[in-house]
Amino acid sequence: WFPVGSRSVPAGGPQQGLGRGAGLVPLKPGRSLMDWIRLTKSGKDLTGLKGRLIEVTEDELSKHNKKEDCWICIRGFVYNVTPYMEYHPGGEDELMKAAGTDGTDLFDQVHRWVNYESMLKECLVGRMAVKPIAAPKGSVHFLFYSYDWFQTDSLITIVIYTKQKDMNAELVIVDCQDKRLRGEIIIDDHSYLVEVDLDHAVSEDVAVNIAEKVGKVEIVLNKKDNIHWKMLGQPLEGHNTFIKRTDRGLFYRKCKLVSKTEVTHDTKLFCLMLPKGTLLHVPTGQHVYLKQIIAGTEVVKPYTPVLPSLPLDFQESPHQDGVHIYLMIKIYSHGLFTQALDHLQIGDYISVSNPEGNFKKSQVQTSEDLLLLAGGTGFTPMVKLLNFALTEVSCLRTVKLIFFNKTEDDILWRNQLEQLALKDERFEVQFILSQPSEDWVGKQGKISSSLLSEFVKRSRRDSKALICICGPTPFTEQGVQYLKDLGYSQEEIHAFTA
Ligand code: FAD
Ligand code: NAD
């Protein structure tokens, strides 16, 4: 237990005093390490507690802060160091710095190499009383979730009881790559995370089973080798935490660009493929963040996933296979991010975050009239919304899209929208151009009170309406104001913003 590197052992051995640099003090004769060991083996009651171990509160610890009565806490264990005082190589004064307190840091700094646990075991008074664990950053819930896991020869199953009645696949995001498992469960505006470096390798086919009624979530992994796991794995930074979603850093995974198709002269449909081992569904009305390194700097921008097409075939709604993410993106000629995106080649990778956004599908489920106001690519959140409304919400009587664009050439999916209006009598679309050519016979202008009063109407005098609006910021802001002026309440309006 001699300190190495600080200075050589003085002639005459340890009894001359050992310690740290200038802190070395000469020990009195008969106070060497050997003498100390002898004392600890003598059967003398060194703690004053006759071998009993007690639980020590901080308050109690602080009372024992004198030379003739000195307790110190090291790594959660409390020692009565009073008898050791004269044996301490660094001297009594140094020991007294930690008297009645937690001396772990002090001891780690000065005597990291000394095994105090073993040297002071006869002085052990007991453990520190457990303090309530400090709540993770931003946590306001007292509910605390946890997980359980079990195994068979071939499977590892992680179980989380969320007690949430409406648990569904959109609320569970799993990433399992290279032995790292990250499973995030969204519970209202909070998130629970399982994040471990797995004990052994698993294959990339991950499954999630959800018992919706009781809110039980199972993440099922396939073992690569049929061996018995001693543990699930080493916990990583966010493991077993339940915190506000906004306090959880954005998590990105690399997705492969699999196709890029033209929608209009400046807008493209990008199809990205999630990596194997990732299970992620972007809910209706939510966006993701894309991240690229541009000129050595990390740049992040939000985009709202769409579907590969509108729901034109009612036997089968557009393919949402959980593997591909479709993004409809306008390429600006001077746009920093979109120019870089446009230069991506098929097979290239781009980082995609977890979904975010405050839109709730339940807002649609209780409406009779759904009115969608879109400006340019502000159409993107309306795609999944239309699909959801027309294929899953039975109480809706009318669904109307009022689509504002500069020119005819800018209208996204015009053909599909017109076909949809022909197929589903509940759906109607109105195009309004701000810079039409001379031969445009349709409506023209920018968002205004008079245009809105002409097109935004309830199907019945007191029918329940939901109006969703998305586009350039001035478009959205003016639109919300006009709608309020027309008598629509805040609850009836949802504005998509960042
Ligand atoms: P920048 O470098 O920021 O701008 C360069 C130039 O491009 C500007 O000077 C201007 O001439 C032009 N320009 C850039 N942005 C705009 C703009 N918003 N309006 C008009 N001119 C502009 N975009 C999509 O195409 N599809 C989406 O699905 C989509 N979803 C979004 C979701 C959210 C929540 C938000 C907030 C924005 C969304 N956007 C979407 C916009 C997107 O995030 C970027 O702002 C856009 O792609 C421009 O990025 P950029 O770096 O290329 O342009
Ligand atoms: P754009 O410039 O082509 O304009 C489309 C139409 O919006 C115009 O024809 C006009 O009617 C209206 N408009 C534009 N500027 C206006 C103004 N200042 N005042 C009133 N009306 C105006 O639009 P774009 O280039 O396709 O841009 C679409 C916008 O939508 C972007 O700003 C994008 O960030 C935003 N967006 C937001 C979200 C979201 O928040 N969830 C999603 C997608 C797109």
Side-chain angles (χ1 to χ4, degrees), residues 304 330 332 375-378 380-381 404-406 434 445-447 470-475 478 496-498:
T304 313
K330 183 186 262 199
Y332 295 95
T377 58
T380 52
F404 295 80
N405 283 282
K406 288 195 198 119
S434 60
K446 281 195 171 180
I447 197 160
C470 187
T473 307
F475 168 89
Q478 289 165 34
F496 288 96
T497 49

Side-chain angles (χ1 to χ4, degrees), residues 133-162:
I133 296 160
K137 189 176 154 241
S139 174
V140 290
H141 267 235
F142 293 104
L143 267 174
F144 189 73
Y145 292 89
S146 194
Y147 71 98
D148 212 344
W149 73 282
F150 58 89
Q151 61 187 310
T152 63
D153 282 350
S154 57
L155 300 176
I156 294 286
T157 304
I158 298 150
V159 192
I160 301 117
Y161 290 96
T162 68

